[in-house]
Amino acid sequence: MTARAGTMRLACMFSSILLFGAAGLLLFISLQDPTELAPQQLPGIKFSIRPQQPYNDVPPGSSQDGDSKAPTEKVPGDLSSRAPRDFHLPVPDQPQAHLNTGARPRPRQRRRRLLIKKMPPAAAVPANGSVGMFARPAPWAPDGHWVTLHRSQQERKRVMREACAKYRASSSRRAVTPRHVSRIFVEDRHRVLYCEVPKAGCSNWKRVLMVLAGLASSTADIPHNTVHYGGALKRLDTFDRQGILHRLSTYTKMLFVREPFERLVSAFRDKFEHPNSYYHPVFGKAIMARYRANASREALRTGSGVRFPEFVQYLLDVHRPVGMDIHWDHVSRLCSPCLIDYDFVGKFESMEDDANFFLSLIRAPRNLTFPRFKDRHSQEARTTAQIARQYFTQLSALQRQRTYDFYYMDYLVFNYSKPFADLY
């Protein structure tokens, strides 16, 4: 009995020791600082163990060892924030959360890696933003020149967005209709939409699109009438609404513009200083009948011989005797740049560089370059700033100002300087 009682007392003592030990462990855990068990998260900062996953699973914008990199997006919905493949433009640093450096880091936290995401927040892609692709630099473009062209696109897009936001804020809320895309030509093989701006290289751009579409082997083989009257290229407004919206959201949209006064003079020289079976009888006769005192019977019969001041009078008249024409209409009305988010904005003044840069971006065939030849009246000099100034000196200061006011949105949206110092 004595031995059995001693055994029971030992068992009770051992059980009491285990209970006290368990209670002490629970008390220790409850008093432990939770930051010893898990790192505290700060806004904009993520703690993570050294990645064990393969490289392809590393989040975009960060390298395998946790260092921040510039994002390399694949689609050029907005050239102002996307770079072509095979080169990376620096992304401005974003504000980072401040860490408390006064406290000594704990050993457990020291084994963890701090990952700071410096990628800027992704801009929302508008409903008509495209999802295209970028190519490697063309062989004719050194890396520095490529970067310069890309930055030029960024600046043009920035100016266009700011001008539209300031003066056409309501445009972004309007729905795209077939009228808005009636001047846009479609090239499906390379997923390109081109808004035609007459007197800004449109004939040669249509030739390029025809070669891209496989309709011709060379731009030099396509005559003028085939370009404009052959009907080989589809217009965007010929598709149904779903087809229009699909192409606006997935194709690369581009347009080329020109200094408005030079474009106006170029149109006048082309249509009224050379024989023309349409513009002389339709526009010429009406302009001279309205604005020329004592017009001769011959002039009224043929419509030939319109003078530039008479043409400008017609342009500025709110009660025009004959309607507007695409060759001198505003680019803002032809292409709706405040409604349609164009991916590429080229300029006639830098046509060769801009055009071949664009062709490289869409991965056009290496042997396809923008043609240099003059489509019509090839023996006549192209309209330059100097030639345009000679025509505008025929106008009064008031007429020049009113013409500038007429094209004011084009000057603003596409960042062209005032052509005369006295304009305001």
Side-chain angles (χ1 to χ4, degrees), residues 297-308:
R297 288 185 178 180
E298 181 66 13
L300 294 177
R301 184 183 68 82
T302 63
S304 301
V306 173
R307 300 164 188 154
F308 187 66

Side-chain angles (χ1 to χ4, degrees), residues 140-347:
W140 52 266
D143 289 346
H145 189 52
W146 177 272
V147 173
T148 300
L149 292 170
H150 180 76
R151 288 176 177 168
S152 176
Q153 283 299 312
Q154 289 181 311
E155 178 63 13
R156 291 173 188 174
K157 288 277 290 179
R158 181 191 66 79
V159 171
M160 186 168 66
R161 284 195 303 267
E162 290 181 357
C164 290
K166 184 176 181 180
Y167 291 92
R168 297 285 176 86
S170 62
S171 295
S172 60
R173 296 189 296 270
R174 290 159 52 198
V176 176
T177 67
R179 181 188 68 80
H180 294 121
V181 299
S182 63
R183 308 308 312 173
I184 295 180
F185 289 87
V186 179
E187 200 287 288
D188 285 315
R189 289 177 63 180
H190 292 80
R191 304 169 69 87
V192 171
L193 299 180
Y194 164 64
C195 186
E196 174 192 33
V197 178
K199 312 312 299 179
C202 69
S203 298
N204 281 337
W205 265 118
K206 288 181 182 178
R207 289 185 171 94
V208 169
L209 293 181
M210 292 175 69
V211 173
L212 288 174
L215 302 174
S217 58
S218 170
T219 56
D221 300 334
I222 310 173
H224 176 85
N225 286 346
T226 301
V227 170
H228 291 287
Y229 311 118
L233 296 172
K234 295 180 180 178
R235 295 179 188 265
L236 189 54
D237 64 348
T238 62
F239 295 86
D240 60 20
R241 179 168 180 79
Q242 183 178 358
I244 292 174
L245 295 179
H246 168 71
R247 285 168 176 80
L248 283 174
S249 63
T250 59
Y251 284 25
T252 302
K253 303 175 293 297
M254 67 96 165
L255 78 164
F256 271 71
V257 298
R258 187 175 186 177
E259 202 282 334
F261 277 19
E262 292 179 30
R263 177 171 168 255
L264 180 66
V265 171
S266 177
F268 174 79
R269 294 175 71 197
D270 180 27
K271 305 306 179 187
F272 295 104
E273 292 186 348
H274 299 276
N276 192 296
S277 59
Y278 173 74
Y279 284 91
H280 289 192
V282 174
F283 287 86
K285 291 166 65 173
I287 288 173
M288 287 189 286
R290 172 71 67 88
Y291 306 109
R292 180 179 296 184
N294 302 318
S296 67
R297 288 185 178 180
E298 181 66 13
L300 294 177
R301 184 183 68 82
T302 63
S304 301
V306 173
R307 300 164 188 154
F308 187 66
E310 296 168 340
F311 174 64
V312 172
Q313 278 184 283
Y314 144 78
L315 181 73
L316 302 177
D317 192 346
V318 294
H319 303 292
R320 299 183 189 96
V322 61
M324 182 56 66
D325 185 82
I326 61 171
H327 290 84
W328 45 81
D329 203 353
H330 319 80
V331 177
S332 299
R333 188 154 54 193
L334 292 172
C335 297
S336 302
C338 292
L339 182 61
I340 298 172
D341 183 37
Y342 286 93
D343 304 295
F344 192 96
V345 181
K347 290 194 172 184

